[in-house]
Amino acid sequence: MKATAIAPANIAFIKYWGKKNDALRLPLNSSISMNLSGAFTTSTVEFSPDYSQDTVGMVGEEFSQKEQNRVITQLDVIRKFTGCNDYARIVTKNSFPKGTGAASSASGFAALTVAALHALSFSATEKEMTILARIGSGSACRSIPDGFVEWQSGEQSEDSYAYSLAPASHWELCDVLAIVSKEEKKVATTIGMEGINTSPFWKERIAGMPEKLQLVRKAIADKKLHELGKVIEEDAINMHAIMMTQDPPLFYWNDSTMRIIHTVRSLRAEGLSVYFTIDAGPNVHLICETKDESTVAKKITSISGVETVLLNHVTKGAHITNDHLF
Ligand code: DP6
C-alpha cells in the first residue's frame, strides 16, 4: 500500500487565471504548458489500516497547517474515488527551493495524486488522474501527461482534463528560469484569481482565448519558436494586465522583472531567439531552443537583481519510481 511518484512543475504558455467553478477548479479557459525538467516533486504515499490519522511531511522544509489541510482534502477526494477508508502517511520533497516561482502546487498535487492511486493499486487512466489532480490544484493536471500539454477547460468535471499535445522528444525547448526573489508570494494564486471578474478587461481576455490557443497548438506542432514566442509573451502580459486591474490590484512584478523584459527584447533585436513568460510572481521564464540556452543563461545572469538561474528542458510527465522517501 506504498508508492512513490515524481512529477515535474510546468510553465504555462497560455495561462489559467480564473475559474467558473471554484470547488471543482473548472477554469474559465483552456491552457497549454510544457513540463520542466529542473523543478519536480517526489511524493511517497502509504495507506494503512494501522494509521489513526493522516500525516503529512516535507523533507527539509516546513509544511504549514493550511498546506497540510489542502493535502488531506486531496486524500479525501482520492479515498472517495477509490472507495478506500484508510488513513495515509505522506512525505514529499521538492527539487527546487520553496518560493522560487517554480510551481510547487502543480508538481506537488500531480505527484501526490499519482502516488496515492498507485499505492491503492487503483488502475486509473491518465485522463482520470488529471481530473483528480486538477481538483487539488488546477495547474497540477498539466504535470501528468508527457511533454507539451493542453488542459481542456470543459463544462463539467469529467471533461476538464489534460492530455499531451506532443511528447518531450518532439522539440528541444528550454526554460531558463531567472529567479529575482525567493520570497513567498503575497497573494496565493487561488485567492488572486477569485478577483478576475473585477477587472474591466476579463471578458476580452476570455473571448480572445480560442485564437491564441490555436496559434500555440500550431506553433508547437510546427516547432516555430517565433510564432510561439509572440503569443506566449502576449498572453503573459495580458494575464498581468488583468491582475493589475483587478480590485484590489495585484502587482507581482518588481524592478528586476522589468529589467529582464527589456533585456529579452534587446536580445531579440540583436537576433537571439528568446521570449519571456511570467506566472504569479516576479521571476521570469525565458523560453528558447537548446542551442541558445547557454548564451541566454549567460546574458541573464549578468542582469542586476538576478539571484539564480535554473535550467529546464521539456520533460515527461508524472511517473512512478521505486526510490521511496521512507
Ligand atoms: C498564474 O493552479 O496554482 O500559474 O487551481 O487555485 O490551485 P489553483 O491555482 P494554480 O494557478 C496557476 C496560475 C498560473 C498560471 C498557470 O499556471 O496556468
Side-chain angles (χ1 to χ4, degrees):
M1 299 263 276
K2 175 152 109 175
T4 301
I6 299 178
N10 66 73
I11 179 67
F13 295 154
I14 295 292
K15 311 286 188 189
Y16 149 52
W17 189 254
K19 302 178 176 77
K20 55 190 170 212
N21 180 319
D22 289 342
L24 289 172
R25 289 192 151 79
L26 295 183
L28 284 170
N29 59 273
S30 299
S31 52
I32 296 178
S33 60
M34 93 175 197
N35 289 329
L36 302 179
S37 61
F40 53 89
T41 299
T42 306
S43 185
T44 298
V45 180
E46 181 179 48
F47 288 92
S48 167
D50 299 337
Y51 293 145
S52 56
Q53 58 176 32
D54 292 318
T55 54
V56 182
M58 197 187 272
V59 177
E61 284 182 59
E62 284 295 304
F63 231 153
S64 71
Q65 193 54 51
K66 204 168 151 204
E67 287 170 313
Q68 292 187 37
N69 292 346
R70 197 167 160 188
V71 168
I72 291 169
T73 303
Q74 180 67 357
L75 280 175
D76 289 338
V77 167
I78 290 162
R79 277 189 280 254
K80 193 168 167 214
F81 182 75
T82 58
C84 160
N85 290 316
D86 292 332
Y87 288 110
R89 178 178 172 204
I90 297 165
V91 176
T92 63
K93 191 177 161 197
N94 287 333
S95 73
F96 47 92
K98 219 174 173 179
T100 50
S104 58
S105 78
S107 54
F109 281 96
L112 167 67
T113 304
V114 171
L117 290 167
H118 207 261
L120 293 168
S121 304
F122 194 93
S123 61
T125 60
E126 181 182 272
K127 177 177 166 182
E128 286 170 328
M129 290 194 280
T130 70
I131 289 171
L132 289 166
R134 184 205 79 224
I135 295 170
S137 178
S139 55
C141 71
R142 297 190 311 238
S143 287
I144 293 180
D146 187 10
F148 299 89
V149 179
E150 174 155 357
W151 170 14
Q152 171 183 296
S153 62
E155 290 307 319
Q156 56 224 350
S157 196
E158 304 80 71
D159 59 9
S160 184
Y161 63 95
Y163 51 88
S164 179
L165 289 173
S169 57
H170 170 69
W171 191 9
E172 289 196 9
L173 215 56
C174 302
D175 173 357
V176 177
L177 170 55
I179 309 291
V180 298
S181 167
K182 292 192 177 124
E183 260 178 51
E184 285 284 310
K185 51 181 162 257
K186 288 182 187 73
V187 180
T189 47
T190 307
I191 305 296
M193 69 172 79
E194 279 172 12
I196 184 173
N197 57 9
T198 60
S199 163
F201 310 121
W202 78 276
K203 284 191 181 146
E204 279 77 2
R205 170 168 174 77
I206 304 305
M209 278 298 173
E211 194 187 334
K212 281 200 271 189
L213 286 158
Q214 190 46 32
L215 288 170
V216 167
R217 285 184 205 112
K218 187 165 182 330
I220 291 173
D222 297 345
K223 298 190 256 188
K224 293 263 170 62
L225 182 55
H226 59 283
E227 285 170 17
L228 178 74
K230 186 172 181 303
V231 189
I232 69 176
E233 286 193 357
E234 198 181 301
D235 192 57
I237 296 166
N238 182 299
M239 179 181 73
H240 283 271
I242 297 286
M243 293 162 159
M244 291 178 201
T245 50
Q246 288 183 196
D247 180 17
L250 297 171
F251 299 103
Y252 285 113
W253 297 358
N254 65 22
D255 52 346
S256 307
T257 313
M258 275 318 296
R259 267 197 297 279
I260 299 173
I261 291 175
H262 288 305
T263 305
V264 167
R265 290 163 64 88
S266 320
L267 289 174
R268 222 161 43 228
E270 289 165 18
L272 192 62
S273 200
V274 54
Y275 297 83
F276 66 83
T277 183
I278 307 163
D279 277 345
N283 301 322
V284 187
H285 296 253
L286 304 170
I287 308 298
C288 61
E289 287 181 315
T290 308
K291 63 179 174 55
D292 295 322
E293 182 186 32
S294 55
T295 313
V296 169
K298 217 168 133 205
K299 299 270 186 197
I300 296 305
T301 309
S302 63
I303 299 175
S304 130
V306 174
E307 295 175 10
T308 322
V309 168
L310 286 181
L311 302 180
N312 295 282
H313 297 173
V314 55
T315 192
K316 62 183 173 183
H319 52 279
I320 294 295
T321 166
N322 288 326
D323 293 330
H324 301 304
L325 296 175
F326 64 88

